[in-house]
Amino acid sequence: MSTKVNETSNNKINTIIPIIIIAGLFFIFGFVTWINGALIPFMKTINELTSAQSFLVASASYISFVVMALPASAIINKIGYRKGMSLGLIVMAVGALVFIPAAEARTYWVFLTGIFIQGMGMTLLQTASNPYITILGPIDSAAKRIAIMGIANKIAGALGSLIFGALLLSGIDEIKDKLSTVSVTEKAQLLDTMADSVVTPYIIMAVVLFVLGILIRKAPLPHVEAEPIEEAKEGKTTKTSIFQFPHLWLGVLTLFVYVGAEVIAGDTIIAYGISLGFTAAKAKFFTTFTLMAMVATYGLGVFLIPKYVNQALALKLSAVLGIILTFCIVFTTGFTSILFVAALGIANALVWPAVWPLTLKGLGKFTKTASALLIMAISGGAIIPPLYGWFVDENKVKLMAQGMSEALASAEAATSGYWILLPCYLIILYYAISGHKLGLKKD
């Protein structure tokens, strides 16, 4: 009896330490990911971009998940989870250093290259850490562990958004007012000075990431593997390909639209506030509203899952709330509408933690490949936000052609652009109701 108690106690200790370490990694890529909310209006100003062009910041970050996910899976299969995490951190450090020549040249594609390289590092980090934390303990409580990771991720994102919002958006309203009155030479000097403000924070970021990349090699992370697929009964065929798991492919689609919705909620809210007439000094706090809503809901998820609410029910509730909030955003105005965008954090928080275990369930030896496919689905953040930006630009032009003022047209177009969220949440709802069961039903 005492031996069993000691074994249980040791298992808890052995699990807690890796959870803390992986939470630290989620903190890091949360910090790096969510500074995009501040980078988008910053890049729009210094590079004189349209709304659609400015959202390529998100595209550069998230498209790397398509390019790197399968290579990352192959790398991790070869070198293991720990070395994969280490390599991811070092690649992110290299991406941060690219911001130095980008600022010197004030060239948008160089900035995007740095963001893309950081995204490649995050792909390695995510491809290693997400399946690791999912299979570190029982699959039924995986959403709880991923919710803990989400808390670390979003707290870091809130800090990153506030810090970089203060560093990059300070005085941006005054600079934008000056740009329309100064000469071409003075304008270039103002924008060059503004671009240089990214150099110091990104040097610090590069050093921290590189040091952590070295330290993670020594971290006490135990080796884990997914549970094997159950042996087929006599007369039945075993699963031989990932194409025999329809719930996996629907899970990939669900994660694709979810990440798009999450990035819209976090990365457009500052620009949305500015379009509604709020100053950058006030709007820089809006991403934090979204992320804190997510943190609070993650905390609720840790308490409720799986004891009181199963993962599928959490996903259903999230989808329904997302649909309701989408209508609320579009049919309200001003700060009320902004608060509804921030409230999407509540609808979004438990989607990622629920989709991962529901999708990886029953995949056995295909878990690492499936994880790579799920990581590729993060590219939803590269495609859906620029679509939002394109809708905003198109609607703004149409409204101005009808005689509406530029300020009012910007506000109206930015609000109506949020309709793009509705099909995203409908897909999530379908997966929660029945999509996650396809192919797993007993004959």
Side-chain angles (χ1 to χ4, degrees), residues 330-374:
V330 174
F331 290 115
T332 57
T333 57
F335 191 59
T336 303
S337 185
I338 288 168
L339 287 177
F340 282 126
V341 176
L344 287 172
I346 301 171
N348 292 337
L350 297 181
V351 177
W352 180 279
V355 169
W356 269 85
L358 287 174
T359 305
L360 294 183
K361 187 173 183 180
L363 291 177
K365 66 181 180 181
F366 299 108
T367 298
K368 288 178 182 175
T369 304
S371 297
L373 292 170
L374 285 169

Side-chain angles (χ1 to χ4, degrees), residues 216-417:
I216 199 73
R217 296 286 292 270
K218 305 292 183 182
L221 295 173
H223 178 75
V224 295
E225 289 291 346
E227 291 181 9
I229 299 172
E230 290 183 13
E231 291 295 326
K233 293 178 182 178
E234 191 176 347
K236 295 184 180 179
T237 57
T238 56
K239 303 285 188 180
T240 57
S241 165
I242 55 170
F243 294 103
Q244 294 173 291
F245 298 95
H247 81 287
L248 162 61
W249 298 99
L250 287 169
V252 170
L253 174 62
T254 302
L255 211 65
F256 178 89
V257 297
Y258 155 69
V259 175
E262 183 188 58
V263 173
I264 282 178
D267 284 2
T268 69
I269 192 169
I270 293 176
Y272 182 47
I274 292 170
S275 73
L276 293 182
F278 290 88
T279 63
K282 290 182 179 178
K284 70 184 181 186
F285 294 105
F286 293 164
T287 295
T288 306
F289 295 170
T290 304
L291 297 176
M292 287 300 96
M294 293 190 80
V295 168
T297 312
Y298 276 132
L300 197 62
V302 171
F303 173 71
L304 294 175
I305 300 172
K307 189 174 181 180
Y308 301 103
V309 177
N310 65 37
Q311 291 162 165
L313 179 57
L315 195 58
K316 287 175 195 171
L317 295 173
S318 298
V320 170
L321 182 58
I323 292 167
I324 293 168
L325 288 172
T326 298
F327 282 96
C328 292
I329 293 164
V330 174
F331 290 115
T332 57
T333 57
F335 191 59
T336 303
S337 185
I338 288 168
L339 287 177
F340 282 126
V341 176
L344 287 172
I346 301 171
N348 292 337
L350 297 181
V351 177
W352 180 279
V355 169
W356 269 85
L358 287 174
T359 305
L360 294 183
K361 187 173 183 180
L363 291 177
K365 66 181 180 181
F366 299 108
T367 298
K368 288 178 182 175
T369 304
S371 297
L373 292 170
L374 285 169
I375 293 298
M376 289 176 74
I378 295 174
S379 61
I383 295 168
I384 297 175
L387 276 177
Y388 166 85
W390 182 81
F391 285 132
V392 171
D393 286 338
E394 289 295 304
N395 288 336
K396 180 180 174 182
V397 170
K398 288 178 184 175
L399 291 169
M400 289 178 68
Q402 294 170 9
M404 192 177 286
S405 68
E406 183 177 358
L408 191 56
S410 294
E412 288 282 334
T415 302
S416 63

Side-chain angles (χ1 to χ4, degrees), residues 61 142 171 179 204 214 310 325 356 426:
S61 180
L179 292 177
I204 294 169
I214 301 300
N310 65 37
L325 288 172
W356 269 85
L426 287 171

Side-chain angles (χ1 to χ4, degrees), residues 104-177:
E104 291 298 318
R106 192 162 55 83
T107 306
Y108 191 38
W109 72 264
V110 184
F111 278 115
L112 294 179
T113 300
I115 293 168
F116 177 78
I117 293 170
Q118 283 203 312
M120 289 172 65
M122 282 193 286
T123 305
L124 271 165
L125 209 55
Q126 292 254 32
T127 305
S129 58
N130 277 290
Y132 187 89
I133 201 68
T134 300
I135 62 180
L136 186 61
I139 195 74
D140 289 339
S141 61
K144 175 182 286 196
R145 291 190 298 280
I146 299 175
I148 294 169
M149 300 304 106
I151 291 171
N153 184 278
K154 268 49 184 190
I155 287 175
L159 288 173
S161 177
L162 286 175
I163 292 168
F164 275 75
L167 291 171
L168 305 183
L169 301 181
S170 179
I172 194 172
D173 296 311
E174 292 80 3
I175 291 171
K176 282 160 79 172
D177 290 338

